Structure formats: C-alpha cells, structure tokens
C-alpha cells in the first residue's frame, strides 16, 4: 500500500497540467471576464406563410455599452434584432414547394465561439387554382321566330371529370345542351306575343361557388302590318284621266315599298311613291257600258293582298227619251215622255221603286218586263210578244195622267227602244216621283160584338162624329203567332190591293163603295170555324177610296 499511494498522488498532480496544442479542437473555457451567449433554442422552424418570429437568449458577462448584432446572408430574412434577451426577425413567405434553411449569426465584442441560430421554413403548400368560366357575352338575343341559339364560354383550370350543367325555368327554353366544350346550345320557342320577353340560363360547375348566369332576350312578334284603302271603289268618269286612292298603313316595315298592279289595260302609270296615296291614269271609256277593274296591293310581310276597284262610267250615248213627272197626288201624277229619236218603237212602264231596285241593270229590268208578259201568255201560248205589242209606242206622250197609284210611294217611269222583235236596243231611261200621303183624319169607331157562336162572327160598327165613307169587315187571314201589329199591316195591304184592283177593272169610287163602304153604321158578319181568331176592323176612306184614318180593331175568337 505504501508503494501505490504515491503513484496516484503523482498522477493527480501532473494530469491537470497536460493539454492539447493549437491543432486540437478542444474549446478553451473562457476566462471569467469574457462574455458568453446562450440561445434558448439553436433551431427554429417557421411556416411557409412567413412573418415575424421571436426567440430568447442569455448574454452573460456583457460589456457595458456593447450591442449584440444578428446578421444573415439569407435574403428572405429581414428586420433582425437582438436586444434585451429577445431575438426577432421577419421571414418572407415561401412561394416554392421546397423548404429552405438560413443561419443567423451574432456579433458581440470579445464574444468567442458565438452560437448560431438555424432557421428552417416549411415548403409552400401546392396551390391548385379554382376553375373559372368566362362568358363571351352577357346575353343572347333571339328573333321572334325562335330557333336554335348558343352561348360560348372559356373554361380555365377545369376539374377532371367534372361536368357543366345549364338550366332555365322558362317554358320557352328547351333542349339545353352542354356536351360540346366551350358552347351551350338551346332551343327557343317562337314568341307569339306582341311584347318582348327575357329569361336567364343558370350555369353551375364543381369548384365554382356561385352560379353563372346569362340573359336570353327574345323579340316580340311584330304587330301585323295592315294597308286599308280609304274606300273600296274609285269612281272615274267616262272621259278618264288622273285618279287616286288614299290608304292607311299601320306598323310599316322599315325600308319596305308598296307596289300596286292591275291587269286592266286601261289603267296605267300606277305610282306609290307618295306615302298614303296611289295615283294612276285611266284611259277614256269609248263604249256604252261601264267597266271595272281590280288594283291589287303588295307589301313585304303581308300575306294578304289588299285591293280596291276602279269603276268607270260608260261613254255617254245620245239621249233617246226625256221623261218629266209632275203634279203628284195620293194616287196619280202627270207624265210627259218626249221621244228624241223619231219613229222609234219603244215601251214605257211604271213600277214602284222597290220593284225596280230588284233589277239593278238594264238587262235585269228588260227581263222583268218579258217575264211579266210571259206570265200573261201562260194560258194562251201565243208568245209574250203578242201581249206586249199592245203596249208598244212610237210617238211622244204629252200630259198623260198616270192613275191607280199607291199613296206615299216612290214610282219609277222607264222607257227603252226596241226592234221589230221587241228586243231592247237602247239604254233604259228612268225618272222617279213620289205620290202624296193621304191626309189622315181622327175618326173613332165603336165596335159592338153581337155574336161569336154557331160558326159566325157578327158585329155592329158605328162611326162617331164622322159622316163620310168607311170600310168595316171581319178579317180572318190570321196566322198563329200574329200580333196586333202584324194583323194591322195585313189589313192595310189588303185594302191597298183592293183599291188597285178596282182601278185596273175601271171601278168608280161609288162602285167600290157600294161593295165595301158604309156611312154612319153597319152590320158586318163572317162565317168562321170554332176556335178561329178573327179581327173586326174599321177605317175611314177619302174620295179616292184610300185609307185616311187609323184602323180600329176588335180581336175575336169564334166559339
């Protein structure tokens, strides 16, 4: 034991003074007076978003007045500070998908073996851009007739496998199709309204938050264009000349022109250059019959072709007759008929204007006369000419009294020349006159029914305060449903026919009154069937046997 102890003692004394030379990596402990820097953490990791980061440190044995400085060669670190135990720096955002590392070093007087702060920044997150759709227009305009329409678009950053959808709530939009990339097609129904309409089509796509919309505008159906001539007929004299037709044009078509045509050779120079007026030239009519032609109008957009008629009078012929009518009474007037062509054979007739109105042309009126004579010949077979020959005239007629006319009635006297076969050879000359209305009297009648049984109606009719002639009878021509007004009209017409027939036969007023008239009071009778409705009636007559008072009636039904 005495030998070992000195050896341990020797080694303990010698070893503390044994060390490495300068080539050795051993850190030489600082002297107590040297500053020492210790970091809270030798390494810091920051996010890819960057920003300000802080960490702590401890500085022992600081030198009065000295400042700790932090420096780095990394350009993405800035605003480095080291003060009062806090280290601060700002890291820029990392925009690349790789992490990066930087070193912050510290400078301080007499600081030996200063530690370094390693800064690591995360790689930037890989950003997948959102899909975007940009429309090539904000709206689609469609004509009123509708049809297939489309909207084109550009899609960027498409999503794999995603599909675009398009919808519309409008019933007039259909067949929406997105199968062709970059284009949406759809069908627009015709707009039958006279007002425009609009709707929206909505597009959706995965990854796009808000729907994309565009408008579809459709024109209104144009209001129909109409052309209305101001009259249906343009009347032109026989000599012709310039004529015109005015018209009204509604809802005109921009740039459209009206055209007017006629197939008639005697209408020329049709001109529509002045809006609202069509002018043309009519050649003289050299024939004795009137003529007419159609002018047809054509305008773009109009399916129908408006038209008007041009009517031209016949060329005037030399007058054949001159008819003068005068001095009308209730049943007559005076006629003077001058024949202007000597020795011409002719007929003249007198008809109520109502009958002549049913024969609008000369041919119609001549045919009416022939039919009248044919009716007279129906039972003889001699031919209508045999009856008509008695009415044939060859000279003028002066101051002829035309009698047996109806009161308050317009009459037409007409005449025309004929050949040896009694065929009409001239135009028909006409003249009109109205007979006077009879002076109406205020006559009252008392009708007392004496009997309505045993198949006979018997009544006494008495005129009150009237001493002239009157007519009283029992009227049986009554139909079921006839009103009093209808029966009154039947009675009036019946008596007018009686007076006319008496005139044809040649009865005088006295003869007619002896059969039908009474003065003061009279008894009237009539055989009837049981249940038959009849009317007892009475009215006053004037000197021409024309009714001149209201008709007094008493309805009776036979028992």
């Amino acid at each position: 034991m005495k030998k070992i102890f000195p050896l341990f003692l020797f080694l303990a004394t010698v070893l503390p003074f044994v060390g490495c030379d300068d080539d050795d990596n051993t850190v030489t402990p600082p002297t107590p007076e040297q500053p020492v820097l210790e970091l809270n953490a030798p390494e810091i990791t920051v996010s890819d978003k960057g920003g300000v980061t802080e960490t702590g440190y401890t500085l022992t044995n600081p030198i009065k007045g000295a400042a700790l400085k932090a420096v780095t060669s990394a350009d993405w670190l800035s605003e480095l500070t080291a003060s009062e135990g806090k280290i601060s720096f700002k890291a820029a955002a990392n925009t690349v998908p790789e992490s990066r590392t930087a070193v912050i070093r510290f400078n301080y007087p007499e600081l030996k073996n200063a530690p370094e702060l390693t800064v690591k920044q995360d790689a930037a997150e890989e950003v997948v851009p959102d899909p975007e759709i940009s429309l090539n227009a904000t709206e689609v305009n469609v004509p009123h007739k509708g049809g297939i329409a489309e909207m084109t678009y550009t899609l960027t950053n498409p999503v794999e496998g995603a599909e675009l959808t398009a919808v519309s709530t409008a019933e007039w939009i259909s067949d929406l199709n997105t199968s062709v990339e970059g284009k949406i097609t759809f069908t627009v129904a015709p707009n039958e309204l006279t007002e425009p309409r609009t709707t929206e089509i909505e597009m959706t796509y995965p990854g796009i938050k808000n729907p994309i919309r565009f408008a579809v505008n459709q024109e209104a159906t144009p209001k129909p264009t109409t052309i209305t001539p101001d009259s249906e007929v343009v009347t032109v004299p026989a000599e012709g000349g310039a004529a015109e037709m005015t018209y009204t044009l509604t809802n005109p078509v921009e740039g459209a022109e009206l055209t007017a045509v006629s197939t008639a050779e005697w209408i020329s120079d049709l001109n529509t250059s002045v809006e609202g007026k069509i002018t043309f030239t009519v050649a003289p009519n050299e024939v004795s019959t009137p003529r007419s032609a159609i002018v047809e109008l054509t305008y773009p957009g109009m399916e129908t072709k408006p038209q008007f008629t041009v009517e031209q009078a016949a060329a005037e012929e030399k007058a054949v007759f001159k008819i003068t009518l005068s001095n009308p009474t209730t049943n007559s007037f005076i006629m003077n008929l001058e024949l202007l062509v000597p020795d011409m054979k002719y007929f003249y007739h007198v008809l109520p204007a109502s009958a002549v109105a049913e024969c609008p042309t000369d041919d119609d009126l001549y045919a009416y006369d022939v039919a009248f004579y044919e009716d007279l010949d129906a039972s003889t077979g001699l031919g209508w000419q045999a009856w008509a020959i008695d009415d044939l005239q060859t000279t003028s007629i002066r101051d002829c009294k035309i009698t047996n006319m109806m009161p308050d009635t317009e009459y037409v006297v007409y005449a025309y020349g004929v050949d040896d076969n009694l065929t009409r050879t001239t135009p028909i000359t006409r003249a009109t006159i109205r007979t006077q209305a009879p002076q109406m009297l205020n006559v009252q009648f008392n009708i007392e029914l004496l009997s309505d049984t045993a198949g006979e109606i018997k009544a006494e009719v008495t005129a009150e305060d009237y001493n002239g002639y009157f007519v009283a009878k029992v009227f049986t021509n009554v139909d079921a449903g006839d009103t009093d007004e209808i029966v009154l009209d039947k009675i009036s017409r019946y008596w007018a026919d009686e007076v006319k027939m008496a005139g044809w036969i040649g009865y005088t007023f006295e003869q007619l009154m002896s059969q039908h008239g009474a003065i003061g009071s009279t008894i009237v009778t009539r055989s009837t069937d049981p249940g038959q409705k009849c009317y007892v009636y009475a009215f006053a007559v004037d000197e021409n046997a024309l009714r001149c008072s209201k008709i007094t009636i008493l309805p009776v039904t036979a028992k």
Side-chain angles (χ1 to χ4, degrees):
M1 291 299 291
K2 291 180 180 181
K3 291 181 181 179
I4 296 173
F5 176 75
L7 176 61
F8 281 101
L9 183 61
F10 171 78
L11 291 174
T13 304
V14 175
L15 284 175
F17 297 99
V18 178
C20 297
D21 58 16
D22 291 341
D23 292 333
D24 199 338
N25 291 328
T26 301
V27 176
T28 303
T31 62
E33 293 80 12
Q34 288 181 321
V36 176
L37 176 63
E38 294 182 10
L39 302 178
N40 289 2
E43 183 178 296
I44 294 178
T45 301
V46 299
S47 74
D48 63 313
K49 302 296 189 296
V52 176
T53 301
E54 294 180 349
T55 186
Y57 71 89
T58 302
L59 179 64
T60 57
N61 301 322
I63 299 173
K64 187 177 182 179
L68 180 64
K69 292 183 179 181
V71 295
T72 183
S73 60
D75 58 1
W76 53 276
L77 294 178
S78 62
E79 301 179 15
L80 281 76
T81 62
S83 175
E84 298 179 356
K86 182 187 296 182
I87 301 168
S88 175
F89 58 90
K90 183 178 183 180
N94 190 1
T95 60
V96 296
E98 295 178 358
S99 63
R100 57 187 176 181
T101 301
V103 175
I104 298 177
R105 294 179 174 83
F106 299 94
N107 295 326
Y108 193 81
E110 298 183 14
L111 179 63
K112 302 296 184 180
N113 303 317
E116 295 178 344
L117 177 60
T118 301
V119 180
K120 291 184 178 181
Q121 188 174 32
D122 295 335
E125 293 183 4
E126 185 176 357
V127 178
V128 178
D130 292 334
E132 293 183 3
I133 291 178
S134 59
L135 300 175
N136 293 346
T138 59
E139 60 185 11
V140 177
N141 296 314
V142 184
H144 74 276
K145 293 182 179 180
I148 297 176
E150 67 176 40
M151 168 62 79
T152 57
Y153 64 90
T154 301
L155 171 62
T156 56
N157 307 319
V159 177
E160 185 177 356
E163 293 184 357
L164 174 69
T165 60
V167 295
S168 174
T169 59
E171 294 182 355
W172 47 278
I173 301 290
S174 62
D175 302 330
L176 280 154
N177 190 315
T178 61
S179 60
V180 178
E181 185 175 343
K183 181 167 65 175
I184 301 172
T185 60
F186 51 95
T187 300
V188 180
N191 186 2
E192 298 178 353
L193 306 175
T194 56
E195 297 295 332
R197 58 185 178 182
T198 186
T199 189
E200 284 187 335
I201 291 179
E202 183 177 277
M203 305 164 55
T204 55
Y205 188 83
I208 298 179
K209 182 177 181 181
N210 297 319
I212 301 166
R213 299 179 178 89
F214 63 89
V216 179
N217 306 316
Q218 188 174 25
E219 295 177 343
T221 293
K223 294 181 179 179
T225 299
T226 61
I227 295 177
T228 307
D230 291 346
S231 63
E232 295 180 356
V233 178
V234 177
T235 302
V236 183
E239 58 267 24
E244 67 177 40
M245 168 62 79
T246 55
Y247 64 89
T248 302
L249 171 63
T250 58
N251 303 317
V253 178
E254 185 176 358
E257 294 184 358
L258 173 69
T259 58
V261 295
S262 176
T263 58
E265 295 181 354
W266 48 278
I267 295 179
S268 61
D269 303 329
L270 280 154
N271 190 310
T272 60
S273 60
V274 177
E275 184 175 344
K277 182 167 64 176
I278 301 166
T279 60
F280 52 94
T281 302
V282 179
N285 187 2
E286 299 177 350
V287 297
S288 60
T289 56
R291 58 186 178 182
S292 64
I294 299 295
V295 175
E296 188 175 78
L297 309 179
T298 303
Y299 192 83
M302 290 184 59
E303 295 182 359
T304 59
K305 295 184 178 181
Q307 61 184 29
F308 62 89
T309 303
V310 180
E311 294 183 351
Q312 188 176 25
E316 292 186 6
E317 294 185 350
K318 184 179 179 180
V320 179
F321 305 96
K322 181 180 180 182
I323 303 174
T324 305
L325 307 178
S326 61
N327 302 103
T329 67
T330 56
N331 66 347
S332 68
F333 56 85
I334 301 300
M335 179 190 75
N336 281 279
L337 191 156
E338 183 178 359
L339 179 62
L340 303 179
V341 179
D343 302 323
M344 174 178 282
K345 297 176 183 179
Y346 71 93
F347 288 115
Y348 85 88
H349 296 285
V350 181
L351 284 177
S354 58
V356 175
E358 297 178 1
C359 305
T361 68
D362 287 359
D363 288 341
D364 293 336
L365 194 53
Y366 174 70
Y368 177 92
D369 291 345
V370 172
F372 171 77
Y373 291 121
E374 287 176 341
D375 288 342
L376 295 177
D377 184 56
S379 61
T380 65
L382 298 175
W384 69 268
Q385 291 88 346
W387 294 85
I389 197 73
D390 292 338
D391 293 331
L392 195 63
Q393 306 290 327
T394 57
T395 61
S396 298
I397 301 173
R398 308 289 182 183
D399 297 325
C400 176
K401 187 175 184 179
I402 307 297
T403 60
N404 202 29
M405 299 291 101
M406 297 292 295
D408 194 24
T409 302
E410 186 175 52
Y411 284 93
V412 177
V413 177
Y414 59 95
Y416 51 87
V418 295
D419 60 16
D420 291 338
N421 296 318
L422 305 187
T423 301
R424 184 173 67 87
T425 59
T426 71
I428 297 179
T429 301
R430 297 171 172 82
T432 62
I433 193 170
R434 176 175 287 276
T435 54
Q436 293 181 353
Q439 183 178 359
M440 301 301 287
L441 302 177
N442 185 16
V443 180
Q444 302 296 324
F445 294 93
N446 179 49
I447 302 177
E448 181 181 356
L449 183 64
L450 302 178
S451 173
D452 61 355
T453 60
E456 181 183 65
I457 300 296
K458 185 176 182 180
E460 183 179 7
V461 180
T462 304
E464 299 179 357
D465 299 325
Y466 173 67
N467 57 5
Y469 276 102
F470 66 89
V471 174
K473 293 181 180 295
V474 179
F475 190 76
T476 59
N477 184 21
V478 181
D479 296 323
D482 280 357
T483 63
D484 290 350
E485 288 75 13
I486 293 175
V487 173
L488 287 170
D489 182 66
K490 285 184 175 182
I491 294 171
S492 181
R493 286 189 285 111
Y494 155 75
W495 181 247
D497 291 341
E498 285 287 335
V499 173
K500 194 171 188 66
M501 182 64 69
W504 287 341
I505 296 173
Y507 276 11
T508 64
F509 173 77
E510 289 75 13
Q511 289 174 314
L512 184 60
M513 287 298 99
S514 68
Q515 294 183 10
H516 300 283
I519 295 176
S521 179
T522 186
I523 302 294
V524 296
T525 61
R526 184 67 181 265
S527 298
T528 62
D529 296 327
Q532 182 177 359
K533 187 175 182 180
C534 308
Y535 282 77
V536 181
Y537 68 88
F539 56 82
V541 294
D542 62 13
E543 67 276 8
N544 295 312
L546 300 175
R547 181 174 66 85
C548 63
S549 75
K550 291 183 178 179
I551 303 173
T552 301
I553 58 173
L554 176 65
V556 180
T557 300
K559 296 180 181 178

